[in-house]
Amino acid sequence: MGRLIGVVSVPLVAIALTAVESARGVGAVASDTAGRNPILQLLYGQGVSSTVVRNAYTYADFIPKDWYTGEFLHSGLPARLLGSQVYHGNTVEHALHGGSFTHAFAYTLLGPQYLSGRGTGSSFIAELFYDYGYVGVLVGGAVYGAVCVWACTLVKGQPLRNGLRLVIVPTLLWAPRGSATGFLSTWLTPSVLVALLGVTVLSLAAALLRETGTGNVPKPALVTHRGR
């Protein structure tokens, strides 16, 4: 019964959220699906996701050559250690030299519209196909599945590992419309590393205080009863 409720409720919740987004006048549905009902808006959104993969396949020969699954090396801590140039915003330099499939793909398809701020999004499937072909999609999909299983398994008494898992969950959920190595970029962001380090230190300090407090509690006296 619980599984049946889950199967029925998930699309209903998605439709409800789409309706809220449309009513607020924000997001893609506010402009791309104006006047449509929430069900059509939801279906349109899924169509856009599949179109990214199709266009990446169709225009593969026109996308600037680069190793896009190495995007995590162009930002955060790796870029600082390697001394790499970090690009921001919709610029020609970011599209051609930033190692970002999102920007290179959008620049290829949109041209001047990309420079004015528009984008197409990306997909971990499209990036894996561009870099490694069909084999990359199969192997990469299996790796993503394993990472998702690992991220959903929390272990008591391991705050650092649990923190690493929880930090990348949103990135994994958005991977069909995001970077293939976005979760690595999230891990290697200095602010995230500092936060995880702080959580680990506080957790160890709390455990130490608990042990110290337990050690200072006097042991109850042993009472024996002698018979007459």
Side-chain angles (χ1 to χ4, degrees):
M1 181 59 70
R3 294 178 181 177
L4 179 60
I5 293 175
V7 171
V8 175
S9 63
V10 167
L12 293 179
V13 170
I15 292 172
L17 293 176
T18 303
V20 171
E21 184 180 13
S22 177
R24 293 179 58 197
V26 298
V29 298
S31 57
D32 295 335
T33 58
R36 301 183 184 180
N37 62 55
I39 297 178
L40 291 179
Q41 290 175 338
L42 178 64
L43 295 176
Y44 178 87
Q46 309 320 305
V48 171
S49 299
S50 61
T51 300
V52 170
V53 178
R54 184 198 67 187
N55 286 337
Y57 175 85
T58 303
Y59 297 99
D61 294 336
F62 301 94
I63 298 173
K65 301 299 181 182
D66 208 332
W67 180 49
Y68 291 112
T69 48
E71 181 180 0
F72 66 96
L73 298 175
H74 295 266
S75 62
L77 188 61
R80 289 172 170 80
L81 294 177
L82 297 174
S84 302
Q85 174 69 39
V86 178
Y87 298 96
H88 300 282
N90 290 21
T91 63
V92 176
E93 291 76 14
H94 196 173
L96 299 181
H97 310 295
S100 171
F101 189 85
T102 302
H103 288 268
F105 181 55
Y107 179 64
T108 301
L109 264 65
L110 302 179
Q113 295 181 1
Y114 161 80
L115 298 177
S116 66
R118 295 197 62 182
T120 58
S122 183
S123 172
F124 82 102
I125 298 174
E127 294 184 15
L128 291 172
F129 178 79
Y130 184 89
D131 282 347
Y132 310 109
Y134 291 106
V135 175
V137 174
L138 293 175
V139 175
V143 171
Y144 250 86
V147 173
C148 288
V149 172
W150 177 81
C152 295
T153 306
L154 301 181
V155 181
K156 184 178 181 180
Q158 296 185 359
L160 179 58
R161 293 184 181 181
N162 291 339
L164 289 172
R165 290 178 171 96
L166 294 175
V167 163
I168 65 170
V169 167
T171 308
L172 294 176
L173 293 177
W174 282 105
R177 287 300 309 276
S179 171
T181 55
F183 65 96
L184 294 177
S185 300
T186 301
W187 274 340
L188 297 173
T189 302
S191 58
V192 172
L193 293 175
V194 171
L196 290 175
L197 178 61
V199 169
T200 302
V201 171
L202 291 175
S203 177
L204 293 175
L208 182 61
L209 289 175
R210 284 197 301 269
E211 293 180 0
T212 304
T214 303
N216 292 334
V217 175
K219 296 181 179 179
L222 180 61
V223 179
T224 59
H225 299 277
R226 295 183 181 180
R228 293 184 177 180

